[in-house]
Every structure is written in C-alpha cells, then in structure tokens.
Amino acid sequence: MIDSGEEGGLGKIGIAVLTGILTFLVLEKVLEMSNPTTNEEAMEKENKKIVGYLKLFANCTDNLLHGLAVGTSFLSSFRLGVTTTAAILLHEIPHEFGDFAILLKSGFDRWEAAKAQISTALVGLLGALLALAFESSNDLETLLMYILPFTAGGFLNIALVSVVPELMQEKRPGPALGQFLCVIGGIVAMSLLTMI
C-alpha cells in the first residue's frame, strides 16, 4: 500500500496521477489540433508521431526519477548507490528496447529514435545532480510524492490511449493470446515485486 506519510496523502497521490493522465491528454489534443495539414494521410502520419513525442516526455520524467533515485541512494551509502544503479540499468535495458519500438511504430526513423532515446537518458543525469544538490532525502520525498504519480499517470494515458487500442486490433487468435499472456505476465511480475 502506498503511504505518503501525511494526512490526506493518498488523495494528493490520486490527484497527481489524474493530473498526469489529463496533462498528457491535453498535450496530445493540442499537438493534434496544431497540425495544419489538410491532407488526411499526412495528418494521420503526423498525429501518429505525436504518440512518440508523448512517450519521450513520459520517458524524460521517468529518467529524471531514476536519476533522483541513484543520486539519493549514493547520498545514503556507496553500496546502496551501486545496487540502485545496477537495478535501474537492468530495468532500463528492456524498457529502452520497448521505447525504441514505440518510437519506430510512431513514425520515427531509426536514427531519430536513437537520438531521442539518448536525449531522454541525459535527463537521468539531471535527476542525479538534483538529488546531490538537495543533499537530503527528506527534501526529495515531498518532490517525489508528486512526480512519481504524475509520471505513472502519463504512462497510463499512453497505454490506454495508444497501446491498448492497437492491441485490440489484432484479430488472429495466436498473437492475441500471446499479447494477453504478456499483459497478465506483467501484472503478475509487478504484483510479486510489491511482495518483496
């Protein structure tokens, strides 16, 4: 169970998640409406690329959090810092492959997607520097109480608006079952991690 450590903290966390979802929804709509193209096919292609830009924005906040986690853990102890860094690297390798695939599917070419991924990774360095600047994990807790759920809301928006509808278009039983089993596997893995 999430415990923010303060009165009404769960409500604040819920509001931060909803703020993340709504922020990404508004960003997507603003980007779609600002597309001046009248050619329907070109508009479809550009609007598809918007999903990639939203994914990059969500990835920036995620990498900022990773940097904050690494910096904060090194402030606690060198050993904890190394352990946290290793855990984040192990988590990021498959995550970056998935992000790269989403960017390619959104219309980025390989070089654009690679440059974008490297750029978002640099935000992690900014997070680490911020953590070192704060020098206190107490100061970061308040910041993280809002950034973590906001980021979760952004990823929820991307999943619900872009990824799930694409999964629903699969009509062949074999691949559809494989997708469903992967979703269930992800849920089980996350549930097991919360028990540790």
Side-chain angles (χ1 to χ4, degrees), residues 1-180:
M1 183 99 177
I2 298 172
D3 182 18
S4 68
E6 64 179 64
E7 182 85 19
L10 289 179
K12 290 178 182 178
I13 290 170
I15 289 170
V17 169
L18 290 174
T19 301
I21 291 171
L22 294 174
T23 299
F24 278 74
L25 178 70
V26 168
L27 278 173
E28 182 174 8
K29 286 298 170 195
V30 166
L31 290 171
E32 282 178 6
M33 290 187 301
S34 67
N35 185 356
T37 306
T38 55
N39 178 341
E40 194 66 35
E41 187 176 309
M43 186 182 293
E44 174 89 18
K45 185 178 177 185
E46 283 301 310
N47 286 347
K48 193 174 181 188
K49 205 165 190 178
I50 289 170
V51 172
Y53 291 125
L54 291 174
K55 179 66 179 150
L56 289 172
F57 180 64
N59 213 18
C60 282
T61 59
D62 185 44
N63 287 337
L64 178 74
L65 293 172
H66 291 158
L68 288 169
V70 167
T72 305
S73 61
F74 271 109
L75 285 173
S76 297
S77 76
F78 180 78
R79 184 177 177 180
L80 180 61
V82 170
T83 304
T84 302
T85 302
I88 287 174
L89 286 175
L90 288 173
H91 147 85
E92 275 300 306
I93 292 169
H95 183 194
E96 294 302 324
F97 280 116
D99 290 346
F100 190 76
I102 289 172
L103 292 175
L104 291 178
K105 189 117 175 110
S106 297
F108 286 71
D109 65 38
R110 289 176 194 258
W111 182 241
E112 287 176 323
K115 286 192 303 188
Q117 288 293 90
I118 291 168
S119 298
T120 62
L122 294 175
V123 177
L125 292 175
L126 175 65
L129 292 173
L130 276 173
L132 295 174
F134 275 109
E135 289 187 30
S136 166
S137 62
N138 292 336
D139 296 334
L140 284 174
E141 284 181 25
T142 304
L143 182 65
L144 291 177
M145 187 176 98
Y146 296 104
I147 293 177
L148 282 169
F150 177 85
T151 303
F155 282 121
L156 280 170
N157 175 276
I158 291 167
L160 296 173
V161 172
S162 305
V163 177
V164 171
E166 182 123 349
L167 292 176
M168 296 302 292
Q169 291 182 3
E170 180 60 63
K171 303 298 182 205
R172 296 172 296 159
L177 178 62
Q179 291 170 344
F180 179 74

